[in-house]
Amino acid sequence: MLHKNLIAGEWVAGDISLNINPSNTNDIVGEFSRASADDVRTAIAAAKSALPVWSQSPILARHAILKKTGDEILARKEELGSLLAREEGKTLTEAIGEVTRAGQIFDFFAGEVLRLSGEALPSVRPGVGIDITREPAGVVGVITPWNFPIAIPAWKIAPALAYGNTVVLKPADLVPGCAWSLVEILHRAGTPAGVVNLVMGRGSVVGQAMLDSPDINALTFTGSAATGKRVALASIEHNRKFQLEMGGKNPFVVLDDADLDVAVEAAANSSFFSTGQRCTASSRLIVTEGIHDRFVAALSKRLEGLVVDDALMSGTHIGPVVDQSQLKQDIDYIDIGRNEGARLAFGGNRLERAAPGFYLEPALFTEATNQMRIAREEIFGPVAAVIRVKDYDEALAVANDTSFGLSSGIATTSLKYATHFKRNAEAGMVMVNLPTAGVDFHVPFGGRKGSSFGPREQGRYAAEFYTSVKTAYTFA
């Protein structure tokens, strides 16, 4: 079956791209059509044409479509989870969890449609009333990454539709399957023609055509910092709203008073689960002297017990890296760490399994410093570096010494230090005795500094990006 683009309510074919399973490169997940620049322009025109009716559609109609979509995603979570694991490489358990989250997001925003509200305020002028309302931003361009192929499209599309916008979605060329399935569900749920458009393909073609369009009113992007800068510059050129979620170099601090088991489990999850391919993953483990050696020994032992294998296989803890290019980047950084003088305390080896795939043993460095490239640059793989510090004050300073600011974590039993860290960590999200990766669907998501730009994603805070505020005065 050829999976086509959805443009103006019609399925449109294009050049064929093969979706490859990183656990078994002999397995073709599916054939997917790549859109042309002209296809993108047609999709944007369709979204613009559909906007006037959809933006004023009855709230029960929008609620029903989002609710039906969420219900079907949840009903098919095992099937869609298997698809996700095949195309992206995260374990089946993690994949089903991500699909569940996508369904919950649609369910949440189905409820938000019924809670749309404004304000009525008195004016300082007698006899004048003021209404403050929110209106849709317009045509929303959505560009999503490969590491969360259904959750991130969901948390962008669901609020966009809930608040009355129309959508043009470009998923990552590497993992089009889950995005296609999501759009197909939305299509069958009754989304009118042109309200949701899917244009799959390369960023250099599809993404560029979106950036160049003056008819996209708002653009939400998750991906690399370099591409995010291009999105920002193009959006400024067209005076459009833009929202960027980019990289992270997230710290996880372990203090002397930490519960060792809690600290090790949180660090292992933060750094290595989902093959370390999360923008919220922690690749800097900042550990105070009193617990350092015990922590390294316990974490190394935990890593010895982790199974790296086919994402669909029962008992697998860590799946493959997503593709050959990412695998090479990870291995290059392991070599960089060695050459910088860090000690490779565990792993870092290329692995062979029953089927050909992109398997990498988790890599743990010790004796790293915060000035090393492995501590400054986002690796986006199962590679972490332990940085030894003398006390909490130094740990906090090192944690904040980064150009990124997405997520930050600490393991401690001290209420004093936990409270101080929550207040002073320079990150959009802070975790205490929890992995830096792993967030709820109903609360704000986003970071500071080089990690994010624009309003937060998810939860009720999503309205800040997907709507514009209108103030109306009436003299009666």
Side-chain angles (χ1 to χ4, degrees):
M1 172 186 172
L2 177 62
H3 300 79
K4 302 177 182 179
N5 297 290
L6 183 66
I7 300 173
E10 301 292 333
W11 295 104
V12 178
D15 294 340
I16 296 175
S17 171
L18 299 181
N19 191 359
I20 307 295
N21 180 351
S23 292
N24 179 0
T25 55
N26 293 325
D27 177 30
I28 306 301
V29 179
E31 296 182 345
F32 292 82
S33 293
R34 280 177 167 153
S36 67
D38 284 340
D39 289 334
V40 177
R41 287 187 279 270
T42 302
I44 294 170
K48 184 177 180 180
S49 178
L51 180 63
V53 173
W54 179 253
S55 64
Q56 298 188 38
S57 58
I59 59 173
L60 276 178
R62 274 183 263 164
H63 166 81
I65 290 170
L66 295 180
K67 185 71 168 65
K68 188 174 181 180
T69 298
D71 288 346
E72 181 169 341
I73 291 170
L74 293 173
R76 295 172 57 192
K77 63 183 180 182
E78 285 83 9
E79 171 202 345
L80 294 172
S82 178
L83 168 63
L84 198 162
R86 281 180 71 202
E87 75 168 351
E88 196 272 347
K90 65 181 60 175
T91 66
L92 183 58
T93 298
E94 291 173 322
I96 292 173
E98 180 180 334
V99 172
T100 300
R101 180 178 174 184
Q104 291 168 333
I105 289 167
F106 272 94
D107 184 65
F108 176 86
F109 282 105
E112 285 298 280
V113 174
L114 304 181
R115 290 188 286 267
L116 296 175
S117 62
E119 296 179 85
L121 300 177
S123 171
V124 295
R125 294 169 288 174
V128 175
I130 302 172
D131 296 318
I132 302 172
T133 55
R134 289 187 175 273
E135 296 185 348
V139 176
V140 176
V142 175
I143 300 177
T144 58
W146 51 259
N147 62 325
F148 283 88
I150 194 166
I152 292 180
W155 86 47
K156 294 178 186 293
I157 293 172
L161 297 180
Y163 298 120
N165 303 278
T166 56
V167 169
V168 178
L169 167 66
K170 182 224 169 297
D173 191 34
L174 194 59
V175 290
C178 286
W180 186 91
S181 294
L182 173 57
V183 169
E184 193 270 340
I185 292 170
L186 277 163
H187 182 61
R188 286 188 293 99
T191 308
V195 170
V196 175
N197 302 271
L198 172 68
V199 282
M200 300 176 288
R202 295 186 178 93
S204 59
V205 177
V206 177
Q208 190 61 49
M210 293 172 69
L211 296 187
D212 292 341
S213 175
D215 292 325
I216 289 183
N217 306 113
L219 203 155
T220 175
F221 166 84
T222 299
S224 71
T227 304
K229 290 178 181 178
R230 291 181 54 213
V231 171
L233 290 171
S235 296
I236 290 169
E237 178 72 21
H238 294 294
N239 199 32
R240 72 165 70 100
K241 295 179 74 172
F242 62 97
Q243 177 186 59
L244 308 176
E245 288 296 341
M246 298 172 288
K249 196 65 182 173
N250 308 295
F252 184 75
V253 171
V254 180
L255 298 185
D256 287 352
D257 63 32
D259 181 308
L260 185 61
D261 291 339
V262 169
V264 167
E265 195 58 35
N269 186 307
S270 295
S271 303
F272 304 110
F273 284 27
S274 294
T275 325
Q277 296 175 152
R278 300 182 284 194
C279 56
T280 51
S282 178
S283 55
R284 291 189 300 144
L285 305 176
I286 302 165
V287 186
T288 50
E289 288 178 334
I291 199 173
H292 178 276
D293 292 352
R294 288 184 294 131
F295 173 80
V296 170
L299 181 56
S300 297
K301 184 177 180 180
R302 178 73 174 97
L303 295 180
E304 288 176 359
L306 296 179
V307 176
V308 181
D309 212 322
D310 191 307
L312 291 172
M313 189 178 76
S314 176
T316 295
H317 299 111
I318 299 174
V321 174
V322 72
D323 70 352
Q324 181 60 44
S325 175
Q326 188 62 48
L327 178 62
K328 181 181 184 304
Q329 177 172 303
D330 295 346
I331 292 172
D332 286 348
Y333 269 109
I334 291 171
D335 290 339
I336 288 168
R338 284 194 183 104
N339 293 333
E340 288 181 312
R343 184 176 76 88
L344 187 59
F346 181 88
N349 299 305
R350 180 80 163 84
L351 301 175
E352 300 294 332
R353 292 296 180 256
F358 308 114
Y359 296 103
L360 180 65
E361 187 179 26
L364 180 67
F365 282 100
T366 59
E367 309 310 322
T369 71
N370 206 48
Q371 286 68 49
M372 293 178 177
R373 286 182 62 190
I374 58 170
R376 308 301 297 179
E377 300 170 11
E378 186 174 41
I379 299 172
F380 222 65
V383 182
V386 178
I387 301 170
R388 187 195 301 258
V389 295
K390 65 179 183 295
D391 56 21
Y392 170 76
D393 289 336
E394 185 181 358
L396 177 63
V398 171
N400 288 337
D401 181 16
T402 174
S403 60
F404 296 105
L406 182 56
S407 185
S408 190
I410 188 170
T412 180
T413 55
S414 165
L415 179 60
K416 170 188 171 183
Y417 289 134
T419 302
H420 189 273
F421 190 80
K422 285 191 291 184
R423 174 64 184 84
N424 291 280
E426 295 173 359
M429 297 176 290
V430 181
M431 315 295 185
V432 178
N433 295 322
L434 289 166
T436 57
V439 297
D440 290 354
F441 64 87
H442 68 302
V443 295
F445 177 96
R448 296 165 59 174
K449 298 192 277 190
S451 290
S452 304
F453 181 88
R456 291 290 188 257
E457 299 197 89
Q458 297 197 145
R460 302 190 73 179
Y461 282 72
E464 297 298 325
F465 179 73
Y466 293 99
T467 65
S468 295
V469 174
K470 175 179 282 185
T471 305
Y473 297 85
T474 304
F475 177 67

